[in-house]
Amino acid sequence: MTDTRGPQPQYEGYATGPLPGEREPAPGTAGPYHPPQAYPSPSGGTQGGKQGGTQGGAQAMRLPRTGARTTPRTRKARLRVAKADPWSVMKVSFLLSIALGICTVVASAVLWMVMDAMGVFDTVGGTISEATGSNESNGFDLQSFLSLPRVLIFTSVIAVIDVVLATALATLGAFIYNLSAGFVGGVELTLAEDE
């Protein structure tokens, strides 16, 4: 093969000069080596020996804009209740209705005691006895009819019926909700994180 390029100029580089470690440093270039940059460094950046080590960090860190809002943004999530488990609804409604029944019995007992201490039964019972009484009979006795044991038994029966009905209606409501959620997608909730 023949070289047709003709005579080539001889480069004076490593072949004739000293090696890179043997060269004399150029005047006025004292300090650490800074590689060339594709983009100019931002104004107000680091100077001296810290510039080379923190150049990437200075470019990655953005300074806040003037007039920008400093309050944290509240994160919000929009969720959908797609299905209610009837078994869990039945358990929760059963416990809540039992608590409501106990509160009803206690409240009726306290109310009866307060009304008895105020003399409401004596006054109203005397009026009813005079209105319904005759010469042969004394009339209707309200105090014996509305005694505390009778009131507590009546209230307990109402509380038991309330427990059964509330549990059944809540479970039936869970089934109906699941059916309607299959058609319309369920109830959508928007949850926000409290900052």
Side-chain angles (χ1 to χ4, degrees), residues 96-107 155-156 158-160 162-163:
L96 289 178
S97 58
I98 283 180
L100 182 64
I102 291 173
C103 290
T104 304
V105 171
V106 171
T155 309
S156 300
I158 295 296
V160 169
D162 177 52
V163 167

Side-chain angles (χ1 to χ4, degrees), residues 80-84 172-182 185-188:
R80 188 179 46 159
V81 182
K83 184 184 179 192
L172 182 62
F175 278 112
I176 293 174
Y177 177 79
N178 290 338
L179 288 176
S180 63
V187 177
E188 290 186 356

Side-chain angles (χ1 to χ4, degrees), residues 93-180:
S93 62
F94 178 70
L95 290 178
L96 289 178
S97 58
I98 283 180
L100 182 64
I102 291 173
C103 290
T104 304
V105 171
V106 171
S108 62
V110 169
L111 182 64
W112 188 93
M113 290 178 190
V114 169
M115 291 176 69
D116 187 43
M118 291 172 57
V120 173
F121 295 122
D122 293 336
T123 306
V124 175
T127 305
I128 291 177
S129 295
E130 290 177 4
T132 59
S134 61
N135 293 334
E136 293 84 15
S137 63
N138 292 335
F140 183 72
D141 188 10
L142 183 66
Q143 289 179 331
S144 63
F145 181 74
L146 290 180
S147 63
L148 182 60
R150 243 183 215 188
V151 169
L152 290 180
I153 288 174
F154 180 72
T155 309
S156 300
V157 169
I158 295 296
V160 169
I161 293 173
D162 177 52
V163 167
V164 173
L165 285 179
T167 305
L169 288 177
T171 308
L172 182 62
F175 278 112
I176 293 174
Y177 177 79
N178 290 338
L179 288 176
S180 63

Side-chain angles (χ1 to χ4, degrees), residues 61-78:
M61 183 177 61
R62 297 178 61 184
L63 298 175
R65 295 177 297 180
T66 58
R69 85 178 159 185
T70 57
T71 57
R73 292 177 53 188
T74 303
R75 293 190 302 173
K76 293 183 179 180
R78 190 165 184 174

